[in-house]
């Protein structure tokens, strides 16, 4: 899927990978999301708060980014032309939040399958298996999904994390 990336996609996705490392360094899971306007302006950033914030649904990086962009009052028309860059494939809950926030495009790094592999997830810890693409394909308004992309780079913040007593 890397061939579907524009140069600015690579830049923003790498920024999301960097922020995932920042989240990990502060004691959270290594995930982040960045919402970027069509003109390249960063509208919001969200890091995982699943360690320092106590977990829960609002602790996912995409949820934090969506909450931030809503709080900033970004008009829905601008969000429809914006992209969210997620270090990992958004889960079903976050994919729905992206749609309801109004973001028109998703670009993600690590696939859900790669994340599950890194986590050595078992059926009882894997969560929902519905892909981001499947969730957003069911949306009333189309949402473009690009990914997985740059997975080897996206895996870096995860290296060793899931075997070191992850949050």
């Amino acid at each position: 899927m890397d061939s579907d990336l524009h140069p600015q996609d690579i830049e923003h996705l790498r920024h999301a990978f960097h922020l995932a490392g920042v989240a990990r360094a502060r004691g959270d899971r290594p995930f982040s999301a960045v919402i970027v306007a069509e003109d390249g302006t960063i509208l919001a950033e969200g890091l995982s708060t699943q360690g320092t914030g106590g977990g829960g649904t609002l602790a996912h990086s995409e949820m934090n980014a969506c909450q931030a962009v809503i709080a900033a009052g970004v008009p829905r028309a601008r969000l429809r032309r914006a992209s969210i860059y997620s270090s990992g494939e958004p889960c079903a809950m976050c994919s729905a939040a992206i749609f309801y926030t109004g973001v028109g495009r998703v670009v993600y790094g690590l696939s859900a399958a790669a994340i599950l592999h890194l986590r050595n997830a078992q059926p009882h810890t894997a969560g929902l298996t519905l892909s981001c693409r499947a969730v957003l394909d069911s949306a009333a308004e189309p949402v473009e999904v690009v990914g997985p992309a740059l997975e080897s780079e996206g895996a870096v913040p995860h290296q060793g994390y899931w075997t070191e007593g992850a949050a």
Side-chain angles (χ1 to χ4, degrees), residues 9-20:
D9 292 334
I10 294 169
E11 174 187 343
H12 293 302
L13 198 51
R14 286 181 171 151
H15 181 59
F17 297 154
H18 166 74
L19 292 177

Side-chain angles (χ1 to χ4, degrees), residues 12-21 23 29-34 46-48 61-62 84-90 106-112 114-115 118 148-158:
H12 293 302
L13 198 51
R14 286 181 171 151
H15 181 59
F17 297 154
H18 166 74
L19 292 177
R29 289 187 175 182
F31 295 102
S32 75
V34 182
L47 281 68
S48 169
S61 58
E62 294 89 354
I84 185 167
Y85 295 89
S86 294
S87 61
E89 183 173 356
V106 176
V107 180
Y108 67 88
L110 282 175
S111 67
I115 294 165
L118 288 167
L150 307 177
E151 283 195 284
S152 61
E153 292 180 47
V156 171
H158 294 266

Side-chain angles (χ1 to χ4, degrees), residues 37-51:
E38 185 177 38
D39 66 4
T41 303
I42 294 177
L43 301 173
E45 296 177 342
L47 281 68
S48 169
T49 51
Q50 288 181 281

